[in-house]
Amino acid sequence: MKNIIFVAPPAAGKGTYSSVLEKKFNYVHISTGDLLRDARKREDELGKKITLLMDSGKLVTDDIVLELLKQKLESLDSNDRIILDGFPRNVNQAKVLDDMFNSLGMIDYEVIYLEIDKESALKRTLGRLVCPKCKSSYNEFNEEMKPKVDNTCDNCGTLLEKRSDDTKETFEIRFDTYMSETKPVLDYYEEKGKLHSVSSLDGIETVLKNLEGVING
Ligand code: AMP
């Protein structure tokens, strides 16, 4: 199985599909957004800085994200295969990741661009519900993605929450940040011949089939 890197606009489904692939193929799912949300819960100086940046819709600084990611990568077993969800978010991070992958011997990877238009991404953002415990993601505006019991995680029964950055105002900034800083990452991987595009607007089964096509291809 190849290592996977998801690059996409906010709410394209990176977290959702990472979780499905993690269960199905035994991947280790690494979401830098989740690592940051866990770090901010500590409410120390670092946590406060992260909260401020995340809730403003901007990127958290590279030094913070890279340190959290490095710790996570160092905890892996040599046989683990990973899905990176939300990293890299700019070209500098992509270059640092090249070095990290080289030193860990992780040469076998593919990059998947999960395509979605701005209007659909906004709708998904405003309907998103997340489980603070197991990180499962739901959507109250999508029949396929609703929890079985209102506001309750299907997986572990925890009360679901809205993310503090899932507001219309913050979405606009996150989308602009994606366009200016993250979209160039797609060109970076295109030039390396690593980029694959999968539409996120199809039904879940179709998207999964297309993702598996890339992973197994
Ligand atoms: P996500 O959970 O991937 O939607 O990320 C939520 C927020 O966490 C983003 O809007 C950023 O503020 C921050 N974030 C997540 N991943 C990164 C990253 N690789 N670099 C910088 N900031 C990040």
Side-chain angles (χ1 to χ4, degrees):
M1 266 308 134
K2 288 176 180 154
N3 296 295
I4 297 295
I5 299 173
F6 275 122
V7 180
K14 300 187 294 292
T16 302
Y17 290 108
S18 297
S19 296
V20 178
L21 295 172
E22 175 185 32
K23 288 194 191 96
K24 190 160 180 187
F25 297 113
N26 216 11
Y27 273 109
V28 178
H29 172 197
I30 303 177
S31 152
T32 43
D34 284 344
L35 293 177
L36 289 163
R37 276 182 284 277
D38 284 343
R40 70 187 261 183
K41 279 191 201 137
R42 290 197 287 270
E43 289 181 356
D44 51 10
E45 278 313 305
L46 178 65
K48 283 183 197 149
K49 193 171 169 193
I50 293 173
T51 299
L52 212 67
L53 285 165
M54 279 178 99
D55 287 351
S56 73
K58 303 212 181 86
L59 294 183
V60 175
T61 50
D62 287 356
D63 55 336
I64 297 177
V65 181
L66 285 165
E67 183 52 34
L68 291 172
L69 180 66
K70 195 164 147 265
Q71 286 170 15
K72 185 76 190 174
L73 289 178
E74 281 170 0
S75 73
L76 296 177
D77 284 337
S78 56
N79 289 333
D80 284 339
R81 289 286 166 264
I82 62 169
I83 300 180
L84 270 182
D85 154 12
F87 188 97
R89 283 284 228 283
N90 60 34
V91 172
N92 179 52
Q93 292 183 4
K95 290 182 176 161
V96 177
L97 185 63
D98 281 344
D99 295 337
M100 286 180 170
F101 272 4
N102 281 334
S103 63
L104 291 164
M106 287 179 149
I107 41 168
D108 203 10
Y109 72 91
E110 299 297 335
V111 178
I112 301 177
Y113 166 38
L114 216 41
E115 284 180 80
I116 188 167
D117 60 277
K118 185 174 175 186
E119 200 183 321
S120 308
L122 172 62
K123 191 170 170 221
R124 286 192 190 174
T125 297
L126 298 181
R128 174 154 57 190
L129 293 167
V130 289
C131 174
K133 190 168 173 214
C134 74
K135 324 283 188 211
S136 297
S137 189
Y138 300 86
N139 203 296
E140 53 191 345
F141 299 155
N142 179 338
E143 285 307 318
E144 277 193 299
M145 295 286 295
K146 275 187 181 168
K148 292 194 182 80
V149 178
D150 275 358
N151 282 319
T152 307
C153 180
D154 294 351
N155 214 21
C156 67
T158 304
L159 195 64
L160 299 175
E161 294 177 348
K162 288 236 176 243
R163 276 172 44 171
S164 56
D165 58 347
D166 274 349
T167 62
K168 176 154 186 348
E169 296 70 30
T170 311
F171 170 84
E172 290 292 339
I173 300 167
R174 284 161 63 202
F175 199 88
D176 287 349
T177 307
Y178 165 78
M179 292 302 282
S180 60
E181 302 206 38
T182 309
K183 210 161 170 282
V185 173
L186 298 174
D187 302 330
Y188 180 82
Y189 286 120
E190 171 96 83
E191 277 168 30
K192 284 176 175 281
K194 290 285 189 191
L195 190 68
H196 306 265
S197 295
V198 170
S199 170
S200 170
L201 294 174
D202 293 320
I204 292 178
E205 287 310 317
T206 306
V207 177
L208 269 176
K209 187 167 76 49
N210 293 335
L211 292 174
E212 289 181 26
V214 175
I215 294 170
N216 297 318

